Amino acid sequence: MLKFWTLFFILILNFHYGVAQGYEIDLNKHWQFKQAGTMQWHGASVPGNVVLDLYQNQLIKNPYFADNENSLQWIALENWDYECQFEIDKNLMDYNNKEIVFEGLDTYAKVYLNDSLVIECNNMFRAWHLDLKNGLRIGKNTLRIAFASAKKMGQTLAKQLPYQLPEGERVFTRKAQFQYGWDFGPSYPTCGIWKSVKLCAWNNIKINNLQYQLKLLNDTVAEGFLIIETQSDVNRSFNYALQYTNRDDYGTSIKKVDKKYLVELGLNIDTIHFSIQRPRLWWCNGMGQANMYYLKLAIQDGKYTFAEKTLPIGIRKIELVRAADSLGESFYFKLNNKPVFIKGANIIPSDIFLSEKSSEEKFKKIKQIEDAKINMLRVWGGGVYVDDDFISACDKSGIMLWQDFAFACAMYPGDGDFLKNVKIELKEQITRLRNHPSLALWCGNNEIDEAWHNWGWQKQFAYSAADSAKIWQDYKKLFHEIIPQTLNAYDPNANYWPSSPSIGWGHQESLKAGDSHYWGVWWGMQEFNVYTKKVGRFMSEYGFQSMPSLATCKQFCAEADLNLQSKAMKAHQKHKIGFETIETYMQRDYKVPQNLSKYIYVSQLLQRDGMKTAIEAHRSNQPYCMGTMFWQLNDCWPGISWSALEYDGTPKALFYHLKSLYNSHLVSVSNNQQSIQLTIVSDSIHSFQAKFRICLKNYKSQILWETEQSLSLEANKLGQIKIDKSALPIYDSAAVYLQAELKSDLGTLAKTNHFFTSPKYLKLLPAKIKLQDLGNGLYSLQSDVFAKDVYVFNETQNCVFSDNFFDLEAGQTKYIQLEKGKGIKSTLQLRSMSLVDVQ
Ligand code: BMA
């Protein structure tokens, strides 16, 4: 409820420093909800989702638990009402312009202000503005939002087409597509006020939008424009003052531009030209600093500031280079004229129930991503567009983003109403994201081109030639015309790629041009080794599932259900033959444990092994291949999936290994009958001298053989070393490991242990691991013999350590730091296991 004093205070504050600006009031509080047609209201959280509101009010069972999802499907078929009352003080009436902004309503929503229908919404990816010229009262006001079932709306719309589109009702609703159920998460296509609601008021002039466009960039200067869109309710001149700094606290202004503008009633577009001498460029993670500049625009008259806005920018040029070459066509990114090998991952929304998570949580995640040496994330098209906080954090951390438009794995309608709705969505999303330096690429969709040509829909839905032609024509209209045209209008410098991938993985050409989703491993059941042969120009998807930790399983399974056969566990495996696939691969390389805790551990090692094979193959094939992004970084609920990070952010074995797999120096080892090959990948932009130490060790970590070689590593070039096996002493290949370490004057650059046979044949020695709590979350570990893949964990609480799933040499002391999070006690009962325990 807006209190008089709050409003009074805001007004006083605004005028105090000569700022006659408008203001914003948060309308996220005091909401309640009920099922349409019933009488009982309950407390609601905004931003939020109806399922979470029902759960918080104890009206339904835990939607993440066991197979509760099945009995909760009714929620998506019902309509839901949300209501809030807010108080308006008469001072607000001094403002000529007032509006309520709904940043996101999911999805079919009728908004009523004091019982009058004021907006009808049909797209969760658009913001909705309610002009308050009429209808607002001094005193108490009521806002009511009636959500209709999106599922039912989709079904009604589907019936209007003479043919059936794949995926039924979901494609008709502009709603996050994964909510209808995907192979990594549940189906809850429900509703909610998923983003903030606020009331904004202003007089005279308001800055609607700022757009930064770089026009010239060389070693000495960056020149650009700031395009200013304002809305005015007066005809008069204002002074525009633009300050730009490279610090966000405005401690030092490096430049100031003042200009007088004549503003007319309504919308105005003005441009300020600016230049920055010797600009500090924006670089991605691993290539340099993600330098930012801050453009602060103030619209003033004399000592009064009527409106002001700050735009963070990064000075950089990102190009997607697609050029014909003797092998096909390149697909790589150039940042500030330097080719970048992309080390990335695909992300999905962080929760099935969409709402805004705290920015602190997002920041924590970005820190994890940065530490894992990731330089690009692909925001997958079956989810939602990246939000402001997350992309701003990516800007600061140098994490580039590949953003898919929100279309995935289906054909979409092409009628006028649908396209009109989508065009507004495109304009809003492009405008919202275009100034962020981290935004590297817009992609039309996920796997639609591939699907149309390979997934057999024509036969499955018995399309006539005319229907087929119409569906494909609708596809081309949206992805080959409307989207590129809209990008050209609102972000002409953007890179665009119509569909990821351009060619399906069953075709050899998919490895010669464009980006590739390689699913021969997992979907095609091929061995991990096939990754070394199927290397394309840019590997934007490939992946392998693993189990989440035991502590996570306990969050969704009762004790009695902690086995792979239980209904509860099966409800959290959304891939039809997911368990069978994991087990088939596990049998190839590991002994399959009967005990769940051990099974989980091995499944994570297996995923790590697969991804390691793929990433090393992709990196060792540069510059033919210039990017690797595994599927998938995170989870939208606690379940079994391809993720590297669990739903609550707990890293799996794969994630812990990323910091070495994505390190700027990587040593990859392979062997055949005669020799051992070592490939050294360096992403460093400088050439340098390094030393390479290679030892053969037994499981008491005794050195059986060693050599040290000097190596001159050229910038962005591979180094190769071959060791003839005849040079080595006779050894039992199941009882040794080869340790390769790349060193410079600064210390170890990369280190790896290579094994000559699959894990199940290794003759590891029983290891006694001493785990000591040194206080303050610091632990030390020691083992009497070589221990492979040491895993430290607690059975009921997920822990994040500075390292985990590491090899421990006999006698070595390893220190790990526990990251203390919510509810983590400083004294925690930890256990450890290593590979020998599952043999
Ligand atoms: C990819 C994605 C998703 C899916 C994943 C695993 O191709 O685009 O559609 O979850 O495969 O099957």
Side-chain angles (χ1 to χ4, degrees):
M1 194 174 298
L2 176 68
K3 291 268 169 13
F4 168 78
W5 286 109
T6 320
L7 185 57
F8 182 70
F9 191 59
I10 293 166
L11 292 171
I12 293 288
L13 255 188
N14 278 343
F15 283 103
H16 186 68
Y17 294 107
V19 179
Q21 297 182 38
Y23 72 88
E24 278 185 16
I25 303 168
D26 174 352
L27 288 186
N28 288 337
K29 296 186 188 79
H30 311 298
W31 284 88
Q32 45 180 2
F33 82 109
K34 67 174 178 64
Q35 190 173 340
T38 65
M39 304 300 287
Q40 184 63 49
W41 290 95
H42 310 276
S45 298
V46 170
N49 173 285
V50 67
V51 177
L52 292 183
D53 284 334
L54 285 163
Y55 181 50
Q56 268 150 21
N57 283 279
Q58 298 177 355
L59 297 169
I60 58 166
K61 295 182 282 186
N62 180 346
Y64 302 97
F65 194 77
D67 58 352
N68 290 352
E69 176 195 355
N70 296 336
S71 59
L72 296 177
Q73 289 305 307
W74 63 273
I75 301 167
L77 297 169
E78 293 300 327
N79 301 334
W80 299 91
D81 295 335
Y82 278 73
E83 191 176 278
C84 112
Q85 290 189 340
F86 59 98
E87 199 94 1
I88 286 299
D89 184 81
K90 67 175 176 3
N91 288 338
L92 184 75
M93 297 306 167
D94 294 342
Y95 284 84
N96 300 333
N97 310 284
K98 300 173 276 295
E99 64 171 0
I100 294 180
V101 183
F102 301 88
E103 290 182 347
L105 297 173
D106 175 14
T107 289
Y108 292 95
K110 287 188 176 158
V111 179
Y112 298 84
L113 177 65
N114 299 328
D115 287 332
S116 307
L117 176 62
V118 282
I119 337 184
E120 290 191 59
C121 317
N122 60 353
N123 187 332
M124 76 179 287
F125 304 121
R126 288 169 54 185
W128 302 86
H129 296 255
L130 168 59
D131 191 334
L132 292 175
K133 272 213 174 55
N134 307 309
L136 194 66
R137 299 176 189 143
I138 296 171
K140 199 194 279 169
N141 289 267
T142 306
L143 206 50
R144 183 159 62 83
I145 307 183
F147 286 99
S149 158
K151 210 172 150 98
K152 284 191 177 162
M153 289 295 260
Q155 285 162 358
T156 308
L157 291 165
K159 284 196 196 114
Q160 292 166 13
L161 267 193
Y163 44 78
Q164 193 187 337
L165 288 176
E167 300 301 330
E169 69 268 12
R170 90 157 152 87
V171 301
F172 296 89
T173 60
R174 289 313 295 145
K175 178 173 174 66
Q177 302 283 279
F178 84 115
Q179 293 177 318
Y180 287 85
W182 220 268
D183 58 4
F184 53 74
S187 164
Y188 283 112
T190 58
C191 67
I193 306 172
W194 77 292
K195 293 201 168 205
S196 289
V197 185
K198 60 190 183 196
L199 193 152
C200 310
W202 56 279
N203 277 334
N204 299 304
I205 190 159
K206 171 175 93 140
I207 303 170
N208 273 353
N209 204 279
L210 296 178
Q211 184 187 3
Y212 149 76
Q213 265 191 23
L214 183 67
K215 285 290 164 204
L216 173 80
L217 178 62
N218 59 37
D219 290 345
T220 51
V221 70
E223 289 191 10
F225 291 110
L226 184 68
I227 303 168
I228 304 152
E229 186 191 295
T230 55
Q231 201 173 336
S232 168
D233 63 5
V234 284
N235 283 310
R236 59 173 283 190
S237 71
F238 288 100
N239 190 53
Y240 285 24
L242 176 67
Q243 282 183 56
Y244 35 107
T245 76
N246 51 18
R247 289 170 44 179
D248 50 6
D249 61 2
Y250 297 98
T252 45
S253 159
I254 57 172
K255 189 103 186 218
K256 197 167 168 180
V257 181
D258 273 297
K259 232 176 150 181
K260 269 239 164 318
Y261 281 94
L262 192 67
V263 166
E264 289 175 4
L265 206 70
L267 273 189
N268 293 270
I269 306 282
D270 299 303
T271 301
I272 296 186
H273 175 260
F274 67 93
S275 63
I276 298 176
Q277 302 300 318
R278 290 180 306 284
R280 301 190 318 160
L281 300 184
W282 186 90
W283 291 101
C284 67
N285 193 16
M287 276 186 104
Q289 291 294 318
N291 294 309
M292 300 288 292
Y293 286 87
Y294 299 85
L295 307 182
K296 181 182 176 187
L297 177 77
I299 299 185
Q300 300 163 327
D301 186 4
K303 54 184 171 21
Y304 285 114
T305 297
F306 287 89
E308 64 183 20
K309 212 175 194 133
T310 299
L311 183 66
I313 61 158
I315 296 173
R316 58 94 177 109
K317 194 166 97 188
I318 298 183
E319 297 156 88
L320 172 65
V321 184
R322 290 171 48 223
D325 56 26
S326 61
L327 305 160
E329 190 182 272
S330 70
F331 190 104
Y332 71 93
F333 291 90
K334 250 189 187 176
L335 177 60
N336 303 326
N337 299 324
K338 292 199 181 352
V340 195
F341 187 93
I342 298 301
K343 296 175 278 196
N346 288 271
I347 54 168
I348 60 168
S350 57
D351 209 301
I352 181 66
F353 303 114
L354 295 163
S355 79
E356 288 166 336
K357 289 208 168 170
S358 73
S359 36
E360 191 196 329
E361 235 172 288
K362 285 177 206 160
F363 184 74
K364 218 167 100 192
K365 197 192 246 161
I366 283 288
K367 180 82 184 78
Q368 263 183 321
I369 292 168
E370 194 184 338
D371 292 347
K373 317 261 162 111
I374 284 175
N375 61 14
M376 183 182 275
L377 295 172
R378 170 170 175 245
V379 187
W380 172 72
V384 295
Y385 298 93
V386 61
D387 67 46
D388 295 340
D389 288 345
F390 194 80
I391 194 169
S392 299
C394 288
D395 290 344
K396 289 191 175 160
S397 305
I399 313 290
M400 295 185 282
L401 293 177
W402 162 322
Q403 173 72 64
D404 285 358
F405 286 97
F407 303 91
C409 305
M411 303 311 289
Y412 285 82
D415 60 275
D417 285 349
F418 183 82
L419 293 180
K420 194 169 141 208
N421 191 1
V422 166
K423 279 182 194 166
I424 302 173
E425 165 190 331
L426 300 176
K427 179 187 163 194
E428 285 188 15
Q429 293 297 342
I430 294 167
T431 309
R432 185 174 66 83
L433 298 176
R434 64 186 170 189
N435 293 311
H436 290 276
S438 56
L439 188 69
L441 179 74
W442 279 104
C443 173
N445 64 68
N446 175 70
E447 294 185 345
I448 301 187
D449 193 324
E450 148 170 25
W452 179 250
H453 293 104
N454 299 294
W455 293 7
W457 284 334
Q458 291 80 350
K459 218 168 158 192
Q460 185 187 344
F461 298 103
Y463 291 137
S464 66
D467 291 347
S468 243
K470 168 77 172 82
I471 294 169
W472 185 240
Q473 196 188 321
D474 286 344
Y475 173 89
K476 287 204 296 191
K477 185 155 178 78
L478 179 55
F479 298 105
H480 293 183
E481 288 174 34
I482 294 176
I483 294 183
Q485 281 162 5
T486 316
L487 273 171
N488 202 31
Y490 299 104
D491 189 11
N493 290 337
N495 295 303
Y496 179 60
W497 180 239
S499 187
S500 176
S502 48
I503 307 171
W505 62 266
H507 303 272
Q508 196 53 32
E509 303 77 58
S510 68
L511 302 176
K512 294 187 177 150
D515 67 323
S516 315
H517 292 190
Y518 192 73
W519 284 103
V521 174
W522 182 265
W523 283 93
M525 300 299 257
Q526 293 165 343
E527 294 190 359
F528 286 151
N529 224 10
V530 172
Y531 280 135
T532 61
K533 301 183 185 78
K534 301 288 184 177
V535 178
R537 311 307 301 258
F538 191 104
M539 306 304 289
S540 46
E541 269 191 28
Y542 56 91
F544 196 85
Q545 280 198 353
S546 65
M547 301 286 297
S549 71
L550 188 61
T552 299
C553 292
K554 286 181 179 172
Q555 285 168 23
F556 63 77
C557 276
E559 204 66 31
D561 289 336
L562 284 170
N563 62 76
L564 300 188
Q565 284 70 41
S566 71
K567 262 204 215 150
M569 191 66 90
K570 284 185 176 162
H572 285 72
Q573 166 59 277
K574 298 296 181 186
H575 187 271
K576 277 201 187 77
I577 52 161
F579 283 137
E580 291 83 342
T581 307
I582 295 175
E583 189 135 339
T584 305
Y585 278 82
M586 202 183 277
Q587 279 163 2
R588 291 179 190 162
D589 287 329
Y590 289 88
K591 291 190 184 136
V592 179
Q594 295 310 307
N595 160 295
L596 183 65
S597 169
K598 291 182 175 177
Y599 189 92
I600 289 169
Y601 165 67
V602 174
S603 81
Q604 293 199 13
L605 296 182
L606 186 66
Q607 178 193 36
R608 185 271 322 260
D609 297 347
M611 296 304 96
K612 178 173 187 284
T613 309
I615 292 169
E616 290 187 359
H618 302 156
R619 291 192 66 186
S620 318
N621 273 288
Q622 56 183 281
Y624 180 80
C625 173
M626 281 300 283
T628 185
M629 301 205 281
F630 64 86
W631 179 267
Q632 68 199 62
L633 183 72
N634 59 328
D635 267 332
C636 66
W637 82 324
I640 297 111
S641 84
W642 294 262
S643 72
L645 285 173
E646 295 185 19
Y647 172 61
D648 66 357
T650 304
K652 292 179 175 176
L654 165 61
F655 193 83
Y656 280 111
H657 279 260
L658 284 181
K659 59 179 178 297
S660 62
L661 291 171
Y662 279 173
N663 190 16
S664 51
H665 299 95
L666 171 80
V667 177
S668 154
V669 188
S670 62
N671 70 285
N672 58 27
Q673 287 274 298
Q674 290 78 38
S675 62
I676 300 166
Q677 298 84 38
L678 298 110
T679 305
I680 301 115
V681 182
S682 166
D683 292 340
S684 165
I685 47 174
H686 307 291
S687 303
F688 63 99
Q689 275 303 116
K691 277 200 181 126
F692 206 40
R693 182 164 180 260
I694 307 161
C695 332
L696 189 69
K697 293 185 173 179
N698 64 18
Y699 294 150
K700 288 185 176 156
S701 296
Q702 290 161 333
I703 298 173
L704 307 177
W705 173 89
E706 70 183 311
T707 179
E708 193 162 291
Q709 302 190 7
S710 282
L711 208 70
S712 132
L713 285 176
E714 278 181 56
N716 283 306
K717 284 254 168 66
L718 300 178
Q720 302 272 1
I721 292 181
K722 194 164 157 181
I723 297 170
D724 206 294
K725 280 189 174 170
S726 62
L728 303 180
I730 294 175
Y731 59 89
D732 174 353
S733 62
V736 294
Y737 60 102
L738 186 94
Q739 190 169 76
E741 186 181 0
L742 185 72
K743 295 189 287 188
S744 77
D745 297 344
L746 301 171
T748 302
L749 299 175
K751 192 172 178 180
T752 190
N753 290 336
H754 174 74
F755 298 84
F756 294 93
T757 177
S758 98
K760 68 176 167 186
Y761 301 124
L762 295 178
K763 296 176 189 160
L764 293 164
L765 304 172
K768 266 201 218 86
I769 297 174
K770 198 167 133 207
L771 173 64
Q772 252 186 310
D773 182 349
L774 305 177
N776 264 335
L778 187 67
Y779 293 85
S780 72
L781 288 109
Q782 275 179 329
S783 173
D784 54 341
V785 295
F786 174 79
K788 181 164 162 47
D789 296 321
V790 178
Y791 173 40
V792 182
F793 64 104
N794 174 279
E795 289 200 343
T796 47
Q797 245 183 324
N798 277 326
C799 306
V800 182
F801 294 100
S802 53
D803 201 3
N804 213 344
F805 299 91
F806 45 80
D807 292 347
L808 201 52
E809 302 213 55
Q812 176 202 352
T813 305
K814 165 102 184 168
Y815 297 95
I816 56 170
Q817 178 70 45
L818 169 73
E819 188 188 293
K820 282 188 215 135
K822 265 185 262 154
I824 299 267
K825 290 187 219 121
S826 54
T827 49
L828 197 68
Q829 277 300 315
L830 291 180
R831 279 185 49 197
S832 71
M833 67 167 98
S834 75
L835 191 63
V836 72
D837 300 320
V838 295
Q839 281 191 317

